Amino acid sequence: MSKYCIAVIEGDGIGREVVPEGIRVLEAVGRRFDIDFSWQHFNWSCESYPKTGRMMPDDGLVQLRPFDAIYLGAVGYPGVPDHVSLWGLLIPIRRAFQQYVNLRPARLLRGINSPLKSADHERIDFCIVRENNEGEYSEIGGRLYRDTDAEMATQEAVFTRRGCDRVMRYAFELARARGRHVTSATKSNGIIHTMPFWDERFAQMAREFPDVRVDRYHIDILTAHFVSHPDWFDVVVASNLFGDILSDLGAAVVGSIGLVPSANLNPERAYPSMFEPVHGSAPDIAGKGVANPVAQIRSGAMMLQHLGEPKAAEAVESACESVLEKSSIRTPDIGGRANTRELGEAIAHEISLVARV
Ligand SMILES: NC(=O)c1ccc[n+]([C@@H]2O[C@H](COP(=O)([O-])OP(=O)(O)OC[C@H]3O[C@@H](n4cnc5c(N)ncnc54)[C@H](O)[C@@H]3O)[C@@H](O)[C@H]2O)c1
C-alpha cells in the first residue's frame, strides 16, 4: 500500500465546499488502488486573517515542507484586499517551493457543451504551461507622492534566462509526450525588453527540440484564436500574467471554470507541489452549496499523477467524465440543479464501481 501525507488548505469561499468533495473522491480511489492518505488540515484563510494579522503563520512554509503534496481550495475573500491574501499565502508557497510550472489542462469533457458552436470534443485538448515564479507578478516597484496629484505607481516585470528556460523546457518535454507542438504567447511588438527576450529564449529552446513544431502569437490575437480555433493548440507556454489570463479563457472554452484543474509543480521534486482548481473562491455563490467540485476533484487526479499513481489518476478523470456524460447530476454552472455534494458523491460512487486492483 502506498501512503501519502497531504497538507490541506481549504482556504476561502467555495474552497471549503469543494475540497471535502475532492477528499471524498480521493479516499474512494484510495480504497480501489490501495492508497492511504493522511490529511492534515491548515485553517489559513481570509477568515483567520483579522484574528492573526497573517494569512499563514511565520513558520507556515516550514510546516508545509515535509508533506508529499499540498491540496488547496482557493484563497481570497472580500474584507481582505486580494493582493494581501494572494501575496500572504499562495504566492509565497509557489515561490519558496519553486513551483515554477503552473500546468493547466483545458480539455472538453464528454457530456459538456462548449459555448463554441463548432466545438469538437476530440479536438479541444490543450495544456497551458504558465510560468509561475516571476514575470509580471513581482514585488519590485512602488508608489510615490501618495494622495497628491503627482501620485504614481511603478511595477517591474522580471524575466530571467533561468526562469524562462526551465518553464519552456518543461513545455517542450510535455509536448513530446503529447502532440509535439508548442505555441508561445508573446507580446514582443509592444513590450520592448522582456518579450523580445522571451522570444529569444523560446527560439533557443526550440533548437533543442527539432522534433517539436513551434509557433508563436502575440497575446491579443492568441486570445482570439483560443475562441476561433481552439483545436490549433497542444501546449501553450506563457508568462505568469498571460498564462493566468489564458487559463480562464481556456476554462470558458471547455464549458466552465468549475471544471478545470491545475498543478503548481516543482518538477525536480525538491519541494512539495501544490494542486488547486483554476477558479477562485467565488464569493457570489459561496455558502450556497452549488459550486462545481469537478475542478477540485480533477486537481486531485493531477496530484495522483504527480505522486506516481497514474492508474488512480486516470480512474478519477474517467469517473468525472463518465458521470458528466451519463448522468443528469450536474451543478448549475453546467446546466443542472444538483449541489456540490451530490456531484461529488456521484463521482466517488462511480469510482467504487472500478474493479479493485
Ligand atoms: N488560486 C486562487 O486561490 C485564486 C484564483 C482566482 C481568484 N482567486 C480569488 O478568488 C476571489 C474571487 O475571484 P474571482 O471572482 O475573480 O474569480 P472566481 O474564479 O472565484 O469566480 C469567477 C466566476 O466563476 C464562478 N465560479 C468559480 N468557480 C466555480 C465553481 N467551482 N463552480 C461554479 N462556478 C464557479 C464564480 O461564481 C464567478 O461567477 C478573489 O479574492 C480572487 O483573488 C483566488
Side-chain angles (χ1 to χ4, degrees), residues 14 74-77 82 90 257-258 276 279-285 292 333:
I14 62 166
V75 181
Y77 213 70
D82 282 342
L90 199 59
I257 197 161
E276 53 161 345
H279 66 72
S281 63
D284 55 336
I285 57 166
N292 190 335
D333 59 307

Side-chain angles (χ1 to χ4, degrees), residues 107-123:
R107 181 168 72 87
L108 183 56
L109 302 175
R110 290 190 306 277
I112 295 294
N113 291 324
S114 166
L116 307 180
K117 280 190 192 137
S118 60
D120 176 344
H121 280 81
E122 300 306 313
R123 297 178 65 191

Side-chain angles (χ1 to χ4, degrees), residues 125-137:
D125 179 3
F126 57 90
C127 278
I128 294 158
V129 175
R130 166 192 177 194
E131 200 293 316
N132 212 26
N133 275 186
E134 54 176 45
E136 304 86 347
Y137 293 8

